[in-house]
Amino acid sequence: QVQLVESGGGLVQAGGSLRLSCAASGRTFSSYAMGWFRQAPGKEREFVAAIRSSGGRTYYGDSVKGRFTISRDNAKNTVALQMNSLKPEDTAVYYCAADYTNSLLIVTAGAYDYWGQGTQVTVSS
């Protein structure tokens, strides 16, 4: 069992930055691929970014490429999402997720085994 707790959300003006963090419980954090997803009201959950267990490979959704950066610290059991040049359309609840199998389908929500409770990010225009 893995528990994930997100933090760092909030209200920011367009063009600003936020850094989300996800703290994971459990001794096998370094075995999990980790991902970030987001969901805006009335919309489907959307893939944002993911990182392999070793941190050697990262993936990004098209809408955030070049603006967001995912990273992990396996010694501290944390994964972070640095979000720059934020836009109003980035407004959503952001979820951290863990994939025990390091699935090939890392960009899909169904590949993940554990989810955090989410943190709200609101970008004002």
Side-chain angles (χ1 to χ4, degrees), residues 17-115:
S17 298
L18 277 176
R19 185 177 178 86
L20 303 184
S21 184
C22 175
S25 64
R27 294 175 294 177
T28 58
F29 175 78
S30 60
S31 300
Y32 290 77
M34 298 297 296
W36 287 95
F37 289 76
R38 67 187 183 186
Q39 189 165 19
K43 294 191 176 181
E44 303 258 328
R45 190 164 293 193
E46 176 189 14
F47 170 73
V48 175
I51 187 167
R52 289 292 179 192
S53 56
S54 64
R57 182 80 187 266
T58 57
Y59 307 78
Y60 295 95
D62 288 341
S63 61
V64 307
K65 280 180 183 175
R67 299 188 297 123
F68 291 12
T69 302
I70 188 171
S71 60
R72 68 187 296 159
D73 185 336
N74 286 343
K76 296 182 178 180
N77 282 17
T78 59
V79 61
L81 184 69
Q82 178 65 42
M83 306 186 295
N84 298 330
S85 302
L86 282 161
K87 305 175 181 178
E89 51 263 45
D90 293 318
T91 295
V93 177
Y94 283 70
Y95 297 91
C96 172
D99 167 19
Y100 181 73
T101 63
N102 262 277
S103 171
L104 291 175
L105 302 176
I106 198 172
V107 302
T108 59
Y112 291 82
D113 305 289
Y114 303 101
W115 293 82

